[in-house]
């Protein structure tokens, strides 16, 4: 029992009720429970901090780029292993040093200015600088980001840098790969064109043989006429009498041969002009289509390309020219000819073995677009294959009859010209539509 004493009287006992003792015990329990909770949270936070520290250490040790963490004063606080390997200085030697001292002397001011810019703007900034290394300097593409505290103030900086030598090497490899891709694409176009031209050799030989044979026959006739005139003029030179010359002219039939001479000359000229036209068509057809874009008539290009395909046909197929409106387009005529030849050749192949096969062509100018339609009355494209007809190396032809690149390359050429190549939805046969923007030369 507690007692209470005072100067005025004797001591008096101080009594506590059971309820008071119970409140004290409960308060102690609550305090102990709070302490236990605080301890558990502290331990969890310590574990998280240790895990984060381990994680950051692993990052600093494994990153291949330069990574430096600095405090708000610009002194180095963290240092990646890749940076230590590059500079030849372990982290223990550089911790606490100014970040600017890691760079070439004439660039320290730039680094300090960039830190100040990041501090003022609170945004990431990028620049190039030379990092001091054991072998000299290493140019870096650097990015400095601010570290912000819980109140949004700049509490430090994070610098990341990638050696520009690696970047430039990667860019050179990318550029070389792009050039190789363009070369391969051009080679594919030429290969597909050669494959098409190979199928046309029979028709070309026939087309050239007729006018050449005509010229050859006329040269024999001219040679015979020349012999007769040489005989006649030789007698004139020898001083033959008038009667003898009249008889010789009658025997040699010179009056008739003079008329035939003009016809032979005209025929030889016509044959030579036909050969010239065929060679010119071949030259235009086999052009690779490279170089600057030019303005050309799509309808005329379609006529030339389609006629060459039809010359090389072995099966009877009728070619019907529908509406052929003049349509001036800006592009590479050689590539567009290749597209037309691919489309017409595909129709010819689809009609193989079919009686009364028909291919219909039309060119129209519709709303600023030159539209070529190539349709046939063949079996058409099955529904399950329609989505794959423009895929590279897709073909329904037997092995050795096609490369599977014709429609794929044609689709790509149409896109490069700002147009489109689509498969029309028709009830009978197959129909492809090539749309190219109309325009004038720049």
């Amino acid at each position: 029992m507690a007692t209470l004493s005072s100067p005025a009287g004797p001591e008096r006992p101080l009594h506590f009720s059971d309820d008071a003792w119970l409140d004290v015990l409960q308060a102690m329990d609550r305090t102990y429970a709070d302490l236990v909770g605080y301890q558990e949270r502290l331990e969890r936070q310590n574990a998280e901090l240790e895990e984060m520290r381990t994680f950051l250490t692993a990052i600093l040790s494994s990153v291949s780029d330069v990574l430096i963490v600095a405090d708000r004063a610009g002194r180095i606080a963290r240092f990646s292993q890749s940076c230590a390997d590059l500079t030849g200085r372990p982290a223990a030697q550089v911790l606490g040093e100014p970040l600017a001292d890691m760079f070439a002397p004439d660039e320290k001011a730039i680094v300090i200015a960039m830190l100040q810019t990041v501090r003022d703007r609170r945004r990431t900034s990028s620049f190039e600088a030379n990092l001091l290394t054991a072998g000299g300097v290493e140019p870096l593409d650097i990015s400095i980001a601010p570290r912000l505290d819980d109140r949004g103030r700049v509490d430090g900086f994070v610098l990341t840098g990638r050696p520009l030598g690696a970047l430039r090497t990667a860019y050179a490899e990318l550029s070389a790969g792009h050039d190789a891709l363009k070369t391969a694409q051009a080679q594919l176009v030429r290969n597909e064109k050669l494959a098409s031209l190979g199928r046309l050799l029979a028709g070309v030989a026939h087309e050239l043989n007729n006018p050449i044979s005509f010229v050859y026959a006329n040269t024999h006739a001219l040679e015979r006429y020349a012999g007769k005139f040489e005989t006649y003029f030789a007698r004139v030179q020898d001083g033959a009498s008038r009667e003898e010359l009249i008889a010789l002219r009658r025997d040699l039939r010179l009056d008739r041969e003079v008329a035939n001479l003009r016809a032979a000359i005209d025929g030889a000229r016509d044959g030579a002009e036909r050969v010239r036209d065929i060679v010119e068509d071949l030259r235009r057809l086999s052009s690779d289509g490279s170089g600057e874009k030019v303005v050309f008539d799509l309808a005329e290009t379609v006529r030339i390309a389609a006629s060459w395909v039809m010359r090389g046909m072995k099966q009877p197929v009728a070619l019907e020219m529908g509406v052929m409106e003049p349509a001036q387009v800006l592009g590479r005529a050689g590539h567009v000819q290749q597209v037309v030849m691919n489309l017409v050749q595909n129709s010819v192949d689809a009609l193989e073995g079919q009686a009364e096969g028909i291919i219909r062509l039309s060119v129209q100018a519709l709303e600023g677009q030159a539209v070529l339609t190539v349709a046939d009355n063949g079996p058409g494209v099955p529904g399950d294959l329609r989505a794959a007809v423009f895929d590279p190396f897709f073909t329904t032809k037997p092995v050795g009859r096609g490369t599977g690149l014709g429609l794929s390359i044609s689709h790509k050429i149409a896109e490069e010209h700002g147009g489109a190549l689509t498969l029309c939805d028709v009830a009978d046969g197959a129909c492809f539509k090539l749309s190219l923007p109309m325009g004038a030369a720049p």
Side-chain angles (χ1 to χ4, degrees), residues 216-240:
Y216 186 70
N218 280 280
T219 56
H220 277 286
L222 290 173
E223 184 179 10
R224 186 175 66 254
Y225 300 153
K228 292 183 178 181
F229 283 113
E230 288 174 352
T231 301
Y232 179 78
F233 286 119
R235 294 300 301 152
V236 172
Q237 188 69 26
D238 293 340

Side-chain angles (χ1 to χ4, degrees), residues 108-236:
K108 290 183 180 180
I110 298 176
V111 177
I112 295 173
M114 293 304 299
L115 292 175
Q116 186 62 42
T117 300
V118 173
R119 182 184 293 107
D120 294 340
R121 298 181 180 179
R122 300 182 184 180
R123 290 186 306 181
T124 301
S125 295
S126 301
F127 64 102
E128 292 184 10
N130 293 313
L131 182 71
L132 293 175
T133 64
V137 294
E138 176 71 29
L140 298 181
D141 180 30
I142 298 173
S143 175
I144 297 181
R147 292 170 52 205
L148 303 178
D149 58 15
D150 54 357
R151 288 184 290 180
R153 297 181 303 181
V154 177
D155 192 38
F157 308 91
V158 177
L159 180 147
T160 57
R162 172 165 295 183
L164 287 177
L167 284 177
R168 287 167 181 154
T169 300
Y171 178 79
E173 293 176 352
L174 180 62
S175 179
H178 183 252
D179 292 340
L181 180 62
K182 291 193 297 184
T183 302
Q185 180 182 2
Q187 186 64 38
L188 284 175
V189 172
R190 285 192 288 269
N191 289 346
E192 182 63 22
K193 181 172 292 187
L194 288 175
S196 300
L197 290 175
R199 293 191 294 264
L200 305 178
L201 285 179
V204 172
H206 177 72
E207 287 291 325
L208 287 174
N209 185 61
N210 286 341
I212 290 176
S213 299
F214 194 51
V215 172
Y216 186 70
N218 280 280
T219 56
H220 277 286
L222 290 173
E223 184 179 10
R224 186 175 66 254
Y225 300 153
K228 292 183 178 181
F229 283 113
E230 288 174 352
T231 301
Y232 179 78
F233 286 119
R235 294 300 301 152
V236 172

Side-chain angles (χ1 to χ4, degrees), residues 422-437:
T422 57
L423 176 62
C424 309
D425 189 6
V426 293
D428 298 322
C431 175
F432 287 89
K433 182 180 294 184
L434 173 65
S435 300
L436 298 175

